[in-house]
Amino acid sequence: MPLKKSSKAKSTVSAKVQQVAFSWDIPGLVAGVDEAGRGPLAGPVVAAAVILDDLRPIAGLNDSKKLSAARREKLFDEIRAKALCCSIAQASVEEIDEINILQATLLAMRRAVEGLRLKPAKVLVDGNRLPVLDVLAEAIVKGDATVPAISAASILAKVTRDRWCAELDARYPQYGFATHKGYGTAEHLAALQTHGACPQHRKTFAPVTRVL
């Protein structure tokens, strides 16, 4: 499933408006939304939206960080096969540097929801911030461990970004992206000092700024 990206980063301006959260249930399809890649020093932030099929349950859904890489890969394929629909989107490094990582994350989440083939009646988002959407939405802290649809979105986003890091590692093996996934580990920081930044490093993140 291709990553979706609009041509204009300025479309995120509206994401700065706080959306009211609702706690009651309404009938209709429910989508879970989560992201991967807010903390790393390089690469896009990836978001996913998933509407699960109650008639095709998926066993073992959980916060992607609590699952092994092999288990995430297996669940990735199962989610893609069994969900009513799902969508994976991103905000690029350039957008992160232009509008900041929070707004870029909200932008990626909105793109993921807008990319769903079916329109949900309600969207459940992991965390405590909401993208601006044209449907009812609720933020759920630690929802990736408690809400199956959010767990599924967490897995899709994490696997997609990890695969991107493996591809980047093939292009820039000196940084070790396949191992640290772009996070600011000692290995990564040492590589930045030795080799400088590559085009996929986030220039506004302090460790990268220091070597530019």
Side-chain angles (χ1 to χ4, degrees):
M1 183 177 296
L3 295 174
K4 301 176 185 295
K5 173 183 168 186
S6 70
S7 60
K8 296 185 178 180
K10 65 182 180 182
S11 63
T12 62
V13 172
S14 60
K16 296 180 181 178
V17 180
Q18 191 112 22
Q19 185 168 329
V20 177
F22 299 85
S23 59
W24 58 82
D25 290 328
I26 62 171
L29 298 175
V30 176
V33 176
D34 200 3
E35 53 76 26
R38 281 187 65 171
L41 308 179
V45 59
V46 178
V50 179
I51 300 177
L52 293 175
D53 186 347
D54 291 339
L55 301 179
R56 304 182 74 190
I58 301 172
L61 292 175
N62 201 344
D63 174 3
S64 63
K65 296 183 292 296
K66 298 179 180 179
L67 302 169
S68 68
R71 183 63 179 149
R72 287 195 299 265
E73 287 283 349
K74 182 177 179 181
L75 285 169
F76 181 94
D77 293 335
E78 189 173 0
I79 294 163
R80 294 279 303 273
K82 290 184 175 180
L84 286 177
C85 63
C86 52
S87 170
I88 303 171
Q90 73 166 1
S92 69
V93 170
E94 292 78 15
E95 288 170 323
I96 292 169
D97 285 337
E98 180 180 349
I99 61 176
N100 78 47
I101 185 59
L102 172 60
Q103 296 305 320
T105 300
L106 297 175
L107 172 61
M109 287 179 168
R110 178 163 61 81
R111 286 172 174 165
V113 173
E114 291 175 349
L116 288 169
R117 176 177 57 84
L118 302 173
K119 188 177 180 67
K122 184 176 182 179
V123 174
L124 304 178
V125 180
D126 182 60
N128 59 6
R129 296 294 296 269
L130 291 169
V132 173
L133 302 169
D134 62 355
V135 296
L136 192 67
E138 181 177 357
I140 301 178
V141 175
K142 297 184 179 179
D144 52 1
T146 58
V147 180
I150 298 179
S151 299
S154 168
I155 292 164
L156 293 191
K158 172 66 173 168
V159 170
T160 298
R161 207 192 119 82
D162 284 357
R163 290 176 178 178
W164 180 92
C165 287
E167 294 174 0
L168 190 66
D169 185 75
R171 292 164 54 196
Y172 302 100
Q174 66 270 34
Y175 295 100
F177 287 112
T179 302
H180 54 63
K181 305 299 188 293
Y183 285 92
T185 63
E187 174 194 3
H188 192 182
L189 295 177
L192 275 171
Q193 290 295 327
T194 302
H195 304 289
C198 79
Q200 284 297 326
H201 276 104
R202 300 172 181 177
K203 298 178 179 61
T204 53
F205 278 45
V208 180
T209 303
R210 286 195 292 268
V211 302
L212 292 175

